[in-house]
C-alpha cells in the first residue's frame, strides 16, 4: 500500500515509515471524519495468503504491481518465472522489495514508467485503488499502462462504499504523519467508475473478507465476463 506520496520522506518518527521498518509496528489510517482503520502490516511482510494466491494465479506477465509495498506479490511472481516490477513512492518499501530479491522502482504511478502500454497485468491490491484520492484518474492512468488486451486486477472494500477523503497514518500513541488524499471503494462503486471509463468487469471474486475485480478494455478478449 502507498499513499501516492512518500510518507517516509519525513522524519523516521512517521508512523508509516516506522511500520515499514519493523514489519510489525501497528499503523492505522485515520480518515478525515475521525474513523481509524488498522492496516494489515503483518500481511504486507508475510508470504502470500490464500487470498493473494487467488490474485497471483490470474496474473499474466509481464506484471506491474502498483503500490507494491514490501513486494510480497511481485517477488512471488518472479519466483514463479513471471516477470513483475513493483512501483512504490515510499523508499523504505522499495528497499525491502529489492533486499528480498524483488525488482522495484521508487516512483509514483503517475510518473513516467518503463514499458508503458506493454504490461499485461497491473495490480492495485491492498486498497491501492485509493492512491491519489481519485479512482477515475488512477484507473485511467493504469489502463494506459497495459496492452490492448491487458487487465487491471483491483482489490476493493468488502462493503458498498464510495468516498474520497484526506487521511493520515497514525500509530498506537496517536502520533500522525502528513495528510494525503485517499479514496475507498466497494465493488458497486468500482463497477460504476469502470462503466464511466468504458472498461468491462471480466471477473469478480471473494476470498474470505477480501474482494477483487478484473477490469479490461471494453471489447477486448482479456477475460470472461462475470
Amino acid at each position: 500500500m502507498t499513499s501516492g506520496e512518500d510518507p517516509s520522506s519525513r522524519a523516521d518518527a512517521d508512523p508509516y515509515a516506522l511500520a515499514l521498518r519493523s514489519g510489525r509496528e501497528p499503523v492505522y489510517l485515520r480518515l478525515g471524519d475521525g474513523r481509524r482503520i488498522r492496516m494489515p502490516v503483518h500481511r504486507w511482510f508475510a508470504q502470500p495468503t490464500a487470498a493473494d494466491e487467488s490474485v497471483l494465479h490470474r496474473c499474466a506477465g509481464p506484471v506491474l504491481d502498483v503500490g507494491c509495498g514490501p513486494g510480497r506479490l511481485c517477488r512471488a511472481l518472479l519466483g514463479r518465472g513471471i516477470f513483475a516490477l513493483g512501483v512504490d513512492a515510499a523508499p523504505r518499501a522499495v528497499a525491502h522489495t529489492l533486499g528480498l530479491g524483488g525488482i522495484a522502482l521508487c516512483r509514483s504511478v503517475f510518473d513516467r514508467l518503463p514499458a508503458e502500454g506493454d504490461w499485461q497485468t497491473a495490480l492495485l491490491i491492498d486498497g491501492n485503488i485509493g492512491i491519489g484520492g481519485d479512482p477515475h484518474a488512477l484507473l485511467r492512468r493504469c489502463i494506459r499502462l497495459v496492452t490492448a488486451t491487458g487487465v487491471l486486477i483491483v482489490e476493493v472494500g468488502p462493503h458498498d462504499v464510495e468516498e474520497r477523503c484526506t487521511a493520515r497514518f497514525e500509530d498506537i500513541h496517536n502520533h500522525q504523519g502528513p495528510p494525503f488524499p485517499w479514496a475507498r471503494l466497494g465493488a458497486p462503486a468500482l463497477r460504476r467508475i469502470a462503466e464511466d471509463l468504458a472498461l468491462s468487469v471480466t471477473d469478480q471474486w471473494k476470498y474470505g473478507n477480501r474482494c477483487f475485480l478484473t477490469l479490461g478494455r471494453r471489447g477486448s478478449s482479456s477475460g470472461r465476463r462475470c
Side-chain angles (χ1 to χ4, degrees), residues 128-161:
N128 284 326
I129 187 61
I131 291 173
D134 184 347
H136 281 83
L138 179 61
L139 291 173
R140 190 179 297 114
R141 169 59 173 155
C142 287
I143 201 65
R144 290 172 179 166
L145 294 172
V146 299
T147 66
T149 58
V151 300
L152 313 180
I153 302 180
V154 183
E155 182 173 1
V156 294
H159 309 295
D160 186 4
V161 59

PDB file of all heavy atoms in Angstrom, residues 128-161:
ATOM      1  N   ASN A 128      -5.006  -0.190  -2.796  1.00  0.00           N
ATOM      2  CA  ASN A 128      -4.301   0.822  -3.590  1.00  0.00           C
ATOM      3  C   ASN A 128      -5.157   1.503  -4.649  1.00  0.00           C
ATOM      4  O   ASN A 128      -4.683   2.408  -5.335  1.00  0.00           O
ATOM      5  CB  ASN A 128      -3.042   0.209  -4.215  1.00  0.00           C
ATOM      6  CG  ASN A 128      -1.943   0.048  -3.192  1.00  0.00           C
ATOM      7  OD1 ASN A 128      -1.808   0.861  -2.284  1.00  0.00           O
ATOM      8  ND2 ASN A 128      -1.162  -1.005  -3.311  1.00  0.00           N
ATOM      9  N   ILE A 129      -6.420   1.121  -4.782  1.00  0.00           N
ATOM     10  CA  ILE A 129      -7.345   1.891  -5.605  1.00  0.00           C
ATOM     11  C   ILE A 129      -7.497   3.296  -5.027  1.00  0.00           C
ATOM     12  O   ILE A 129      -7.943   4.219  -5.714  1.00  0.00           O
ATOM     13  CB  ILE A 129      -8.720   1.182  -5.693  1.00  0.00           C
ATOM     14  CG1 ILE A 129      -9.657   1.877  -6.678  1.00  0.00           C
ATOM     15  CG2 ILE A 129      -9.367   1.076  -4.327  1.00  0.00           C
ATOM     16  CD1 ILE A 129      -9.166   1.922  -8.096  1.00  0.00           C
ATOM     17  N   GLY A 130      -7.090   3.496  -3.786  1.00  0.00           N
ATOM     18  CA  GLY A 130      -7.176   4.810  -3.152  1.00  0.00           C
ATOM     19  C   GLY A 130      -6.060   5.769  -3.504  1.00  0.00           C
ATOM     20  O   GLY A 130      -6.133   6.962  -3.159  1.00  0.00           O
ATOM     21  N   ILE A 131      -5.019   5.314  -4.181  1.00  0.00           N
ATOM     22  CA  ILE A 131      -3.855   6.155  -4.457  1.00  0.00           C
ATOM     23  C   ILE A 131      -4.259   7.449  -5.156  1.00  0.00           C
ATOM     24  O   ILE A 131      -4.936   7.429  -6.185  1.00  0.00           O
ATOM     25  CB  ILE A 131      -2.821   5.400  -5.325  1.00  0.00           C
ATOM     26  CG1 ILE A 131      -2.181   4.273  -4.520  1.00  0.00           C
ATOM     27  CG2 ILE A 131      -1.751   6.345  -5.858  1.00  0.00           C
ATOM     28  CD1 ILE A 131      -1.285   3.367  -5.335  1.00  0.00           C
ATOM     29  N   GLY A 132      -3.856   8.566  -4.582  1.00  0.00           N
ATOM     30  CA  GLY A 132      -4.110   9.872  -5.179  1.00  0.00           C
ATOM     31  C   GLY A 132      -5.484  10.447  -4.885  1.00  0.00           C
ATOM     32  O   GLY A 132      -5.761  11.595  -5.194  1.00  0.00           O
ATOM     33  N   GLY A 133      -6.367   9.633  -4.302  1.00  0.00           N
ATOM     34  CA  GLY A 133      -7.684  10.121  -3.927  1.00  0.00           C
ATOM     35  C   GLY A 133      -8.671  10.282  -5.067  1.00  0.00           C
ATOM     36  O   GLY A 133      -9.765  10.809  -4.866  1.00  0.00           O
ATOM     37  N   ASP A 134      -8.319   9.825  -6.268  1.00  0.00           N
ATOM     38  CA  ASP A 134      -9.189   9.980  -7.438  1.00  0.00           C
ATOM     39  C   ASP A 134      -9.174   8.681  -8.239  1.00  0.00           C
ATOM     40  O   ASP A 134      -8.327   8.510  -9.129  1.00  0.00           O
ATOM     41  CB  ASP A 134      -8.715  11.154  -8.295  1.00  0.00           C
ATOM     42  CG  ASP A 134      -9.635  11.442  -9.473  1.00  0.00           C
ATOM     43  OD1 ASP A 134     -10.507  10.605  -9.783  1.00  0.00           O
ATOM     44  OD2 ASP A 134      -9.475  12.509 -10.101  1.00  0.00           O
ATOM     45  N   PRO A 135     -10.071   7.733  -7.939  1.00  0.00           N
ATOM     46  CA  PRO A 135     -10.055   6.449  -8.644  1.00  0.00           C
ATOM     47  C   PRO A 135     -10.227   6.569 -10.152  1.00  0.00           C
ATOM     48  O   PRO A 135      -9.666   5.768 -10.907  1.00  0.00           O
ATOM     49  CB  PRO A 135     -11.223   5.690  -8.011  1.00  0.00           C
ATOM     50  CG  PRO A 135     -11.362   6.286  -6.650  1.00  0.00           C
ATOM     51  CD  PRO A 135     -11.052   7.741  -6.833  1.00  0.00           C
ATOM     52  N   HIS A 136     -11.009   7.556 -10.622  1.00  0.00           N
ATOM     53  CA  HIS A 136     -11.138   7.755 -12.067  1.00  0.00           C
ATOM     54  C   HIS A 136      -9.760   8.003 -12.698  1.00  0.00           C
ATOM     55  O   HIS A 136      -9.387   7.372 -13.690  1.00  0.00           O
ATOM     56  CB  HIS A 136     -12.044   8.947 -12.376  1.00  0.00           C
ATOM     57  CG  HIS A 136     -13.507   8.671 -12.256  1.00  0.00           C
ATOM     58  ND1 HIS A 136     -14.171   8.708 -11.051  1.00  0.00           N
ATOM     59  CD2 HIS A 136     -14.439   8.349 -13.196  1.00  0.00           C
ATOM     60  CE1 HIS A 136     -15.446   8.436 -11.247  1.00  0.00           C
ATOM     61  NE2 HIS A 136     -15.639   8.205 -12.533  1.00  0.00           N
ATOM     62  N   ALA A 137      -9.014   8.943 -12.119  1.00  0.00           N
ATOM     63  CA  ALA A 137      -7.703   9.296 -12.675  1.00  0.00           C
ATOM     64  C   ALA A 137      -6.736   8.119 -12.573  1.00  0.00           C
ATOM     65  O   ALA A 137      -5.950   7.867 -13.494  1.00  0.00           O
ATOM     66  CB  ALA A 137      -7.141  10.513 -11.948  1.00  0.00           C
ATOM     67  N   LEU A 138      -6.790   7.400 -11.456  1.00  0.00           N
ATOM     68  CA  LEU A 138      -5.875   6.273 -11.267  1.00  0.00           C
ATOM     69  C   LEU A 138      -6.156   5.162 -12.265  1.00  0.00           C
ATOM     70  O   LEU A 138      -5.236   4.633 -12.902  1.00  0.00           O
ATOM     71  CB  LEU A 138      -6.000   5.751  -9.836  1.00  0.00           C
ATOM     72  CG  LEU A 138      -5.129   4.546  -9.492  1.00  0.00           C
ATOM     73  CD1 LEU A 138      -3.652   4.870  -9.647  1.00  0.00           C
ATOM     74  CD2 LEU A 138      -5.434   4.064  -8.075  1.00  0.00           C
ATOM     75  N   LEU A 139      -7.419   4.799 -12.437  1.00  0.00           N
ATOM     76  CA  LEU A 139      -7.752   3.735 -13.389  1.00  0.00           C
ATOM     77  C   LEU A 139      -7.467   4.154 -14.822  1.00  0.00           C
ATOM     78  O   LEU A 139      -7.012   3.337 -15.637  1.00  0.00           O
ATOM     79  CB  LEU A 139      -9.213   3.340 -13.237  1.00  0.00           C
ATOM     80  CG  LEU A 139      -9.573   2.619 -11.939  1.00  0.00           C
ATOM     81  CD1 LEU A 139     -11.077   2.437 -11.827  1.00  0.00           C
ATOM     82  CD2 LEU A 139      -8.870   1.268 -11.843  1.00  0.00           C
ATOM     83  N   ARG A 140      -7.722   5.417 -15.125  1.00  0.00           N
ATOM     84  CA  ARG A 140      -7.416   5.919 -16.472  1.00  0.00           C
ATOM     85  C   ARG A 140      -5.916   5.802 -16.747  1.00  0.00           C
ATOM     86  O   ARG A 140      -5.489   5.397 -17.833  1.00  0.00           O
ATOM     87  CB  ARG A 140      -7.877   7.367 -16.592  1.00  0.00           C
ATOM     88  CG  ARG A 140      -7.826   7.921 -18.013  1.00  0.00           C
ATOM     89  CD  ARG A 140      -8.332   9.351 -18.054  1.00  0.00           C
ATOM     90  NE  ARG A 140      -9.730   9.450 -17.668  1.00  0.00           N
ATOM     91  CZ  ARG A 140     -10.168  10.066 -16.571  1.00  0.00           C
ATOM     92  NH1 ARG A 140      -9.306  10.617 -15.728  1.00  0.00           N
ATOM     93  NH2 ARG A 140     -11.459  10.115 -16.296  1.00  0.00           N
ATOM     94  N   ARG A 141      -5.114   6.143 -15.745  1.00  0.00           N
ATOM     95  CA  ARG A 141      -3.669   6.029 -15.893  1.00  0.00           C
ATOM     96  C   ARG A 141      -3.249   4.559 -16.032  1.00  0.00           C
ATOM     97  O   ARG A 141      -2.460   4.199 -16.914  1.00  0.00           O
ATOM     98  CB  ARG A 141      -2.989   6.654 -14.669  1.00  0.00           C
ATOM     99  CG  ARG A 141      -1.498   6.383 -14.528  1.00  0.00           C
ATOM    100  CD  ARG A 141      -0.719   6.878 -15.708  1.00  0.00           C
ATOM    101  NE  ARG A 141       0.723   6.761 -15.480  1.00  0.00           N
ATOM    102  CZ  ARG A 141       1.615   6.658 -16.447  1.00  0.00           C
ATOM    103  NH1 ARG A 141       1.235   6.658 -17.724  1.00  0.00           N
ATOM    104  NH2 ARG A 141       2.900   6.567 -16.169  1.00  0.00           N
ATOM    105  N   CYS A 142      -3.792   3.695 -15.188  1.00  0.00           N
ATOM    106  CA  CYS A 142      -3.361   2.293 -15.191  1.00  0.00           C
ATOM    107  C   CYS A 142      -3.760   1.565 -16.467  1.00  0.00           C
ATOM    108  O   CYS A 142      -3.005   0.721 -16.958  1.00  0.00           O
ATOM    109  CB  CYS A 142      -3.912   1.584 -13.964  1.00  0.00           C
ATOM    110  SG  CYS A 142      -3.092   2.063 -12.417  1.00  0.00           S
ATOM    111  N   ILE A 143      -4.927   1.861 -17.009  1.00  0.00           N
ATOM    112  CA  ILE A 143      -5.333   1.154 -18.225  1.00  0.00           C
ATOM    113  C   ILE A 143      -4.439   1.555 -19.398  1.00  0.00           C
ATOM    114  O   ILE A 143      -4.254   0.776 -20.338  1.00  0.00           O
ATOM    115  CB  ILE A 143      -6.831   1.394 -18.548  1.00  0.00           C
ATOM    116  CG1 ILE A 143      -7.366   0.282 -19.467  1.00  0.00           C
ATOM    117  CG2 ILE A 143      -7.070   2.765 -19.151  1.00  0.00           C
ATOM    118  CD1 ILE A 143      -7.386  -1.086 -18.853  1.00  0.00           C
ATOM    119  N   ARG A 144      -3.848   2.738 -19.334  1.00  0.00           N
ATOM    120  CA  ARG A 144      -2.909   3.150 -20.378  1.00  0.00           C
ATOM    121  C   ARG A 144      -1.563   2.451 -20.242  1.00  0.00           C
ATOM    122  O   ARG A 144      -0.768   2.449 -21.184  1.00  0.00           O
ATOM    123  CB  ARG A 144      -2.708   4.664 -20.327  1.00  0.00           C
ATOM    124  CG  ARG A 144      -3.934   5.460 -20.775  1.00  0.00           C
ATOM    125  CD  ARG A 144      -3.755   6.934 -20.534  1.00  0.00           C
ATOM    126  NE  ARG A 144      -4.924   7.698 -20.987  1.00  0.00           N
ATOM    127  CZ  ARG A 144      -5.170   8.963 -20.666  1.00  0.00           C
ATOM    128  NH1 ARG A 144      -4.328   9.617 -19.894  1.00  0.00           N
ATOM    129  NH2 ARG A 144      -6.261   9.561 -21.113  1.00  0.00           N
ATOM    130  N   LEU A 145      -1.307   1.861 -19.094  1.00  0.00           N
ATOM    131  CA  LEU A 145      -0.035   1.171 -18.879  1.00  0.00           C
ATOM    132  C   LEU A 145      -0.038  -0.244 -19.428  1.00  0.00           C
ATOM    133  O   LEU A 145       1.018  -0.828 -19.656  1.00  0.00           O
ATOM    134  CB  LEU A 145       0.295   1.137 -17.379  1.00  0.00           C
ATOM    135  CG  LEU A 145       0.572   2.494 -16.726  1.00  0.00           C
ATOM    136  CD1 LEU A 145       0.696   2.331 -15.212  1.00  0.00           C
ATOM    137  CD2 LEU A 145       1.834   3.121 -17.296  1.00  0.00           C
ATOM    138  N   VAL A 146      -1.246  -0.830 -19.619  1.00  0.00           N
ATOM    139  CA  VAL A 146      -1.321  -2.223 -20.067  1.00  0.00           C
ATOM    140  C   VAL A 146      -1.589  -2.282 -21.567  1.00  0.00           C
ATOM    141  O   VAL A 146      -1.983  -1.299 -22.193  1.00  0.00           O
ATOM    142  CB  VAL A 146      -2.414  -2.996 -19.293  1.00  0.00           C
ATOM    143  CG1 VAL A 146      -2.102  -3.011 -17.798  1.00  0.00           C
ATOM    144  CG2 VAL A 146      -3.800  -2.432 -19.544  1.00  0.00           C
ATOM    145  N   THR A 147      -1.390  -3.468 -22.118  1.00  0.00           N
ATOM    146  CA  THR A 147      -1.627  -3.689 -23.539  1.00  0.00           C
ATOM    147  C   THR A 147      -3.118  -3.589 -23.860  1.00  0.00           C
ATOM    148  O   THR A 147      -3.963  -3.530 -22.959  1.00  0.00           O
ATOM    149  CB  THR A 147      -1.138  -5.085 -23.960  1.00  0.00           C
ATOM    150  OG1 THR A 147      -1.951  -6.067 -23.318  1.00  0.00           O
ATOM    151  CG2 THR A 147       0.323  -5.292 -23.571  1.00  0.00           C
ATOM    152  N   ALA A 148      -3.453  -3.631 -25.142  1.00  0.00           N
ATOM    153  CA  ALA A 148      -4.860  -3.547 -25.554  1.00  0.00           C
ATOM    154  C   ALA A 148      -5.691  -4.677 -24.957  1.00  0.00           C
ATOM    155  O   ALA A 148      -6.888  -4.514 -24.705  1.00  0.00           O
ATOM    156  CB  ALA A 148      -4.960  -3.570 -27.075  1.00  0.00           C
ATOM    157  N   THR A 149      -5.079  -5.825 -24.731  1.00  0.00           N
ATOM    158  CA  THR A 149      -5.793  -6.954 -24.128  1.00  0.00           C
ATOM    159  C   THR A 149      -5.421  -7.147 -22.659  1.00  0.00           C
ATOM    160  O   THR A 149      -5.785  -8.153 -22.047  1.00  0.00           O
ATOM    161  CB  THR A 149      -5.502  -8.254 -24.890  1.00  0.00           C
ATOM    162  OG1 THR A 149      -4.075  -8.490 -24.882  1.00  0.00           O
ATOM    163  CG2 THR A 149      -5.993  -8.165 -26.324  1.00  0.00           C
ATOM    164  N   GLY A 150      -4.691  -6.180 -22.100  1.00  0.00           N
ATOM    165  CA  GLY A 150      -4.250  -6.295 -20.719  1.00  0.00           C
ATOM    166  C   GLY A 150      -5.371  -6.038 -19.726  1.00  0.00           C
ATOM    167  O   GLY A 150      -6.450  -5.551 -20.080  1.00  0.00           O
ATOM    168  N   VAL A 151      -5.113  -6.365 -18.458  1.00  0.00           N
ATOM    169  CA  VAL A 151      -6.129  -6.236 -17.419  1.00  0.00           C
ATOM    170  C   VAL A 151      -5.569  -5.527 -16.189  1.00  0.00           C
ATOM    171  O   VAL A 151      -4.358  -5.510 -15.947  1.00  0.00           O
ATOM    172  CB  VAL A 151      -6.699  -7.607 -16.990  1.00  0.00           C
ATOM    173  CG1 VAL A 151      -7.353  -8.311 -18.172  1.00  0.00           C
ATOM    174  CG2 VAL A 151      -5.629  -8.486 -16.352  1.00  0.00           C
ATOM    175  N   LEU A 152      -6.498  -4.964 -15.432  1.00  0.00           N
ATOM    176  CA  LEU A 152      -6.212  -4.439 -14.099  1.00  0.00           C
ATOM    177  C   LEU A 152      -6.889  -5.370 -13.102  1.00  0.00           C
ATOM    178  O   LEU A 152      -8.074  -5.692 -13.255  1.00  0.00           O
ATOM    179  CB  LEU A 152      -6.775  -3.034 -13.927  1.00  0.00           C
ATOM    180  CG  LEU A 152      -6.511  -2.012 -15.034  1.00  0.00           C
ATOM    181  CD1 LEU A 152      -7.154  -0.669 -14.666  1.00  0.00           C
ATOM    182  CD2 LEU A 152      -5.026  -1.853 -15.291  1.00  0.00           C
ATOM    183  N   ILE A 153      -6.163  -5.798 -12.100  1.00  0.00           N
ATOM    184  CA  ILE A 153      -6.764  -6.565 -11.007  1.00  0.00           C
ATOM    185  C   ILE A 153      -6.785  -5.654  -9.784  1.00  0.00           C
ATOM    186  O   ILE A 153      -5.736  -5.183  -9.329  1.00  0.00           O
ATOM    187  CB  ILE A 153      -6.003  -7.864 -10.722  1.00  0.00           C
ATOM    188  CG1 ILE A 153      -5.950  -8.737 -11.982  1.00  0.00           C
ATOM    189  CG2 ILE A 153      -6.649  -8.619  -9.573  1.00  0.00           C
ATOM    190  CD1 ILE A 153      -5.209 -10.060 -11.793  1.00  0.00           C
ATOM    191  N   VAL A 154      -7.986  -5.393  -9.296  1.00  0.00           N
ATOM    192  CA  VAL A 154      -8.194  -4.377  -8.277  1.00  0.00           C
ATOM    193  C   VAL A 154      -8.842  -4.994  -7.050  1.00  0.00           C
ATOM    194  O   VAL A 154      -9.851  -5.710  -7.164  1.00  0.00           O
ATOM    195  CB  VAL A 154      -9.102  -3.248  -8.811  1.00  0.00           C
ATOM    196  CG1 VAL A 154      -9.265  -2.142  -7.770  1.00  0.00           C
ATOM    197  CG2 VAL A 154      -8.553  -2.680 -10.125  1.00  0.00           C
ATOM    198  N   GLU A 155      -8.275  -4.702  -5.878  1.00  0.00           N
ATOM    199  CA  GLU A 155      -8.919  -5.096  -4.632  1.00  0.00           C
ATOM    200  C   GLU A 155      -9.761  -3.942  -4.121  1.00  0.00           C
ATOM    201  O   GLU A 155      -9.305  -2.788  -4.104  1.00  0.00           O
ATOM    202  CB  GLU A 155      -7.890  -5.490  -3.582  1.00  0.00           C
ATOM    203  CG  GLU A 155      -8.536  -5.943  -2.278  1.00  0.00           C
ATOM    204  CD  GLU A 155      -7.548  -6.509  -1.269  1.00  0.00           C
ATOM    205  OE1 GLU A 155      -6.331  -6.538  -1.568  1.00  0.00           O
ATOM    206  OE2 GLU A 155      -7.992  -6.922  -0.177  1.00  0.00           O
ATOM    207  N   VAL A 156     -10.978  -4.233  -3.712  1.00  0.00           N
ATOM    208  CA  VAL A 156     -11.882  -3.208  -3.191  1.00  0.00           C
ATOM    209  C   VAL A 156     -12.323  -3.601  -1.787  1.00  0.00           C
ATOM    210  O   VAL A 156     -12.058  -4.708  -1.308  1.00  0.00           O
ATOM    211  CB  VAL A 156     -13.122  -3.035  -4.101  1.00  0.00           C
ATOM    212  CG1 VAL A 156     -12.710  -2.479  -5.446  1.00  0.00           C
ATOM    213  CG2 VAL A 156     -13.881  -4.349  -4.257  1.00  0.00           C
ATOM    214  N   GLY A 157     -13.016  -2.676  -1.123  1.00  0.00           N
ATOM    215  CA  GLY A 157     -13.524  -2.957   0.204  1.00  0.00           C
ATOM    216  C   GLY A 157     -14.626  -4.000   0.170  1.00  0.00           C
ATOM    217  O   GLY A 157     -15.295  -4.184  -0.847  1.00  0.00           O
ATOM    218  N   PRO A 158     -14.851  -4.689   1.288  1.00  0.00           N
ATOM    219  CA  PRO A 158     -15.862  -5.744   1.326  1.00  0.00           C
ATOM    220  C   PRO A 158     -17.291  -5.217   1.368  1.00  0.00           C
ATOM    221  O   PRO A 158     -18.240  -5.987   1.213  1.00  0.00           O
ATOM    222  CB  PRO A 158     -15.522  -6.501   2.611  1.00  0.00           C
ATOM    223  CG  PRO A 158     -14.861  -5.477   3.486  1.00  0.00           C
ATOM    224  CD  PRO A 158     -14.101  -4.581   2.552  1.00  0.00           C
ATOM    225  N   HIS A 159     -17.453  -3.911   1.581  1.00  0.00           N
ATOM    226  CA  HIS A 159     -18.784  -3.316   1.684  1.00  0.00           C
ATOM    227  C   HIS A 159     -18.994  -2.309   0.551  1.00  0.00           C
ATOM    228  O   HIS A 159     -18.041  -1.880  -0.113  1.00  0.00           O
ATOM    229  CB  HIS A 159     -18.965  -2.640   3.035  1.00  0.00           C
ATOM    230  CG  HIS A 159     -18.617  -3.520   4.195  1.00  0.00           C
ATOM    231  ND1 HIS A 159     -19.333  -4.659   4.492  1.00  0.00           N
ATOM    232  CD2 HIS A 159     -17.621  -3.437   5.112  1.00  0.00           C
ATOM    233  CE1 HIS A 159     -18.792  -5.244   5.551  1.00  0.00           C
ATOM    234  NE2 HIS A 159     -17.753  -4.525   5.948  1.00  0.00           N
ATOM    235  N   ASP A 160     -20.229  -1.908   0.369  1.00  0.00           N
ATOM    236  CA  ASP A 160     -20.562  -0.919  -0.660  1.00  0.00           C
ATOM    237  C   ASP A 160     -20.208   0.466  -0.132  1.00  0.00           C
ATOM    238  O   ASP A 160     -20.955   1.058   0.654  1.00  0.00           O
ATOM    239  CB  ASP A 160     -22.048  -1.008  -1.006  1.00  0.00           C
ATOM    240  CG  ASP A 160     -22.415  -0.100  -2.184  1.00  0.00           C
ATOM    241  OD1 ASP A 160     -21.503   0.512  -2.761  1.00  0.00           O
ATOM    242  OD2 ASP A 160     -23.619  -0.011  -2.499  1.00  0.00           O
ATOM    243  N   VAL A 161     -19.055   0.963  -0.540  1.00  0.00           N
ATOM    244  CA  VAL A 161     -18.582   2.255  -0.073  1.00  0.00           C
ATOM    245  C   VAL A 161     -17.996   3.018  -1.248  1.00  0.00           C
ATOM    246  O   VAL A 161     -17.414   2.429  -2.164  1.00  0.00           O
ATOM    247  CB  VAL A 161     -17.528   2.087   1.056  1.00  0.00           C
ATOM    248  CG1 VAL A 161     -16.337   1.285   0.567  1.00  0.00           C
ATOM    249  CG2 VAL A 161     -17.064   3.431   1.599  1.00  0.00           C
TER     250      VAL A 161
END
